[in-house]
Amino acid sequence: MLWFWVCYFLMIGFVLLYLFIEYKESRKYSQGINNRIYSKDGLRVTFVYSIPHTKERVVEILRLKNAQDRLPYEFDEKAMEIGFKDSRGEFQHQVLTERYRLHFEPKEDSCLLYLEQINISFSRTDISLFMNAFWSIKVDAVPYEVRKVS
């Protein structure tokens, strides 16, 4: 019986450590900024980032996948859409994908990027947890807080 409790507390400890590390990592890349805008129905989200590159440079960077990418993705340059795959989750032998449409608001030598979710996913994925880390590492993005006017 003692071994059961030892194993139980060890497992709980590992789970809590994993959650703490993920939370700390998420806070690191979000910089305490809420860069999410939810649709009125609450089913879709738009992420907003400030990027120190032009739209053309961001598209060029997205064409090149590398080992540091935090999320596996497919980029459709014509449609300006990106799909992130949740390799940990499957539903009926299909990898779950969240798709986003990219909208750019150009600035002088930079731009704002709006990632508008296209599909509605009712299953639980971890994609949104890694979104800020992905864009930060990939294109030097910084979460951008958009304040809604009431």
Side-chain angles (χ1 to χ4, degrees), residues 66-78:
N66 62 47
Q68 287 185 332
D69 292 340
R70 295 297 304 261
L71 293 168
Y73 71 94
E74 293 177 356
F75 178 57
D76 182 347
E77 188 176 343
K78 284 186 176 184

Side-chain angles (χ1 to χ4, degrees), residues 63-124:
R63 283 188 211 127
L64 304 172
K65 296 180 183 180
N66 62 47
Q68 287 185 332
D69 292 340
R70 295 297 304 261
L71 293 168
Y73 71 94
E74 293 177 356
F75 178 57
D76 182 347
E77 188 176 343
K78 284 186 176 184
M80 289 307 283
E81 293 179 2
I82 190 166
F84 295 102
K85 297 179 181 181
D86 186 3
S87 56
R88 291 178 243 165
E90 280 190 13
F91 180 71
Q92 296 182 350
H93 305 293
Q94 292 183 345
V95 176
L96 300 171
T97 303
E98 285 187 14
R99 300 203 53 78
Y100 294 85
R101 185 165 294 115
L102 287 79
H103 300 282
F104 291 91
E105 182 179 316
K107 303 289 182 189
E108 291 176 12
D109 290 338
S110 63
C111 65
L112 289 180
L113 170 62
Y114 294 84
L115 285 170
E116 179 186 2
Q117 187 176 7
I118 298 170
N119 61 332
I120 298 172
S121 177
F122 292 105
S123 58
R124 167 83 170 88

